[in-house]
Amino acid sequence: MSVKSIFGIILTLAGLIGLIYGGMDLTSGGVARASWIYLIMGGIFFFSGISLIRSTKDAA
């Protein structure tokens, strides 16, 4: 595994955690601005991690 794919996995997991936390906060009636920030940042991290993983070629 290269450094790019490891970083992509970390970004994907961080984005997934942000999306889950933002969704839970939004549905529980938390502060709306913080919920949207978690959802937006989680989406950015998630999709950038997925695209980084897909663009990395494994030399197997």
Side-chain angles (χ1 to χ4, degrees):
M1 284 184 103
S2 68
V3 175
K4 279 178 137 179
S5 63
I6 292 172
F7 189 63
I9 291 170
I10 291 170
L11 277 176
T12 304
L13 291 175
L16 190 61
I17 290 169
L19 286 171
I20 290 171
Y21 186 74
M24 286 174 41
D25 192 32
L26 192 67
T27 57
S28 69
V31 178
R33 184 176 296 161
S35 301
W36 286 109
I37 296 296
Y38 288 131
L39 287 172
I40 291 169
M41 292 301 292
I44 290 171
F45 284 174
F46 182 76
F47 289 114
S48 65
I50 291 293
S51 67
L52 188 61
I53 291 172
R54 292 183 74 188
S55 68
T56 304
K57 302 281 187 212
D58 280 340

